[in-house]
Amino acid sequence: MSALECARELQPDLVRLRHSLHREPELGLRLPRTQEKVLAALDGLPLDITLGRELSSVTAVLRGGRPGGAVLLRGDMDALPVDERTGVEYASEVPGRMHGCGHDLHTAGLVGAATLLADRRESLQGDVVFMFQPGEEGHNGAGAMIDEGVLDAAGKPLDAAFALHVSANRLPGGWVASRPGTVMTASDVLRVTVRGEGGHGSAPHHAKDPVPAVCEMVTALQNWVTRTFDIFDPVVVTVGRLRAGTQQNVIPDTAEFEATVRSYSEANHDRLAQGLPRLVRGIAQAHGLEAEVAYEMLYPVTVNEPVATEFALETARDLFGAGEVWLAPQPASGSEDFSLVLNKVPGAMLLVGAAPEGVDVEKAPQNHSPRAVFDDRVLHRQAALLAELAERRLAAGTSA
């Protein structure tokens, strides 16, 4: 049977695993229940398994029956601090937590790929590393796993690395999309606290009001971006949190805000890290105030290696048909710590449509929404695609 036919037989087990993960979402780097479920799902497969020391990761290595190279397949496992509002029967049972980005599908799909490849172990021309990763949602889980040796788990250099990410909207269910080069943005965080001197709202001249300075900073960020960066190499700065004061007639001592910063090239990534702190400090100084500025560079730009990307898209065309594979014309505006893997190993990240059947993909709730729904039907397709990517890349050897 083909990989897709074999994967269809796994579908009921993958659905049960995915629903179990969805009901008990966990956050960050410590996912003990999730790790337990993954280990149970992998039990009995011929895998060399290593658990993370500082995080609840699982690294599983399948040794092929024939000599060859090594390929890494990654699935992230953590959830989001979101109250679920989907109404599905397997909805989160943990208040304030939800698998709103589809990582439960990634985990189940990677288990499926491990199962498929284990059945083909004797003919496999090399080794496969399965990277079950916590902490993708802003916790640098990929970086922690790299520090703990996931890229060396096979005992030989990796020839390629691949990951899939589901999308609750934009792509029809089951469709695959990617592009060579930049596929997702870099992600940083700007945190600013402006310190003044509080006082009575009726007499601002006797205080040092930090609120107007922070307001000026928020608007200045947008003006600075449009006047500093090429519109064809865009930058996005969004202030998502702003806090000041306790009452309408009290001038507070401090005001603060946090912004997410996205960029599509490493050159701009570096310029932002220098320019944004300088800008807000200058505005604070102009107001006679002090600014504490923290700029955290989270994830670099996710860059797909062109040859690996074409190979991955061609593999998807063979599996699903050319009509369900899309060469994306532009990068996605989200960010990924799989970028840290791709900085060291040639490979590609692909998007998989997981919008429910009959839904208008242009109007469906997006990833991270409390109403985001991902369709179980794509589970076996993920498993088949990941397995085929590994098997074909190993078969290609050094000629790829």
Side-chain angles (χ1 to χ4, degrees), residues 68 169 192 204 208 214 263 269 395:
N169 67 343
V192 178
K208 291 185 178 180
V214 163
S263 51
H269 194 203

Side-chain angles (χ1 to χ4, degrees), residues 7 10 14 108-109 112-113 116 164 378-388:
L10 297 178
L14 300 182
L116 292 173
L164 307 179
V378 305
L379 287 168
H380 73 282
R381 293 169 72 95
Q382 290 180 88
L385 180 53
L386 286 168
E388 282 291 293

Side-chain angles (χ1 to χ4, degrees), residues 69-386:
V71 170
L72 180 144
L73 303 176
R74 181 273 221 159
D76 42 359
M77 305 189 294
D78 57 320
L80 291 162
V82 172
D83 276 310
E84 182 163 356
R85 298 179 186 175
T86 61
V88 297
E89 59 88 15
Y90 53 89
S92 171
E93 297 173 356
V94 184
R97 298 181 183 180
M98 175 194 178
H99 268 295
C101 201
H103 296 186
D104 50 338
L105 283 87
H106 302 167
T107 303
L110 189 56
V111 166
T115 305
L116 292 173
L117 289 169
D119 287 341
R120 305 178 188 185
R121 179 186 181 189
E122 294 306 315
S123 62
L124 202 61
Q125 297 174 246
D127 304 334
V128 183
V129 178
F130 302 95
M131 178 181 177
F132 291 91
Q133 179 210 309
E136 188 278 329
E137 295 290 350
H139 299 275
N140 193 31
M145 288 192 73
I146 290 171
D147 289 343
E148 292 196 357
V150 68
L151 302 185
D152 303 312
K156 64 183 79 170
L158 292 168
D159 298 312
F162 298 100
L164 307 179
H165 203 304
V166 293
S167 177
N169 67 343
R170 295 174 55 209
L171 277 178
W175 279 40
V176 176
S178 195
R179 69 190 307 274
T182 298
V183 68
M184 300 183 83
T185 65
S187 177
D188 302 332
V189 178
L190 173 67
R191 296 183 177 91
V192 178
T193 299
V194 178
R195 300 195 179 279
E197 293 180 8
H200 200 289
S202 67
H205 56 293
H206 291 308
K208 291 185 178 180
D209 192 347
V211 174
V214 163
C215 293
E216 186 175 330
M217 289 173 187
V218 171
T219 56
L221 294 177
Q222 307 306 320
N223 291 333
W224 183 75
V225 162
T226 62
R227 293 299 178 266
T228 305
F229 295 93
D230 188 336
I231 61 171
F232 297 106
D233 187 5
V235 164
V236 176
V237 179
T238 298
V239 175
R241 178 178 171 273
L242 192 155
R243 186 173 67 182
T246 57
Q247 189 169 301
Q248 45 82 22
N249 64 344
V250 176
I251 294 173
D253 277 341
T254 63
E256 59 188 53
F257 69 90
E258 294 182 359
T260 185
V261 183
R262 309 292 172 129
S263 51
Y264 290 79
S265 68
E266 280 306 312
N268 282 353
H269 194 203
D270 293 336
R271 289 177 70 193
L272 286 161
Q274 300 297 318
L276 288 175
R278 183 174 62 245
L279 174 68
V280 296
R281 287 193 180 102
I283 293 172
Q285 185 178 18
H287 284 260
L289 306 171
E290 295 181 359
E292 294 179 7
V293 184
Y295 193 91
E296 183 180 1
M297 300 179 80
L298 293 179
Y299 303 149
V301 179
T302 305
V303 180
N304 282 350
E305 197 274 325
V307 174
T309 307
E310 180 51 38
F311 160 78
L313 291 174
E314 190 58 34
T315 300
R317 293 184 191 105
D318 287 347
L319 279 176
F320 310 129
E324 296 186 6
V325 179
W326 184 44
L327 181 64
Q330 60 192 30
S333 58
S335 303
E336 251 289 349
D337 67 356
F338 190 63
S339 57
L340 299 170
V341 175
L342 294 181
N343 273 359
K344 297 177 179 294
V345 182
M349 166 160 276
L350 295 88
L351 299 178
V352 178
E357 190 172 13
V359 166
D360 183 342
V361 296
E362 296 301 326
K363 297 180 180 179
Q366 63 182 330
N367 290 25
H368 288 218
S369 165
R371 298 175 182 82
V373 177
F374 303 88
D375 200 325
D376 289 331
R377 292 177 306 151
V378 305
L379 287 168
H380 73 282
R381 293 169 72 95
Q382 290 180 88
L385 180 53
L386 286 168

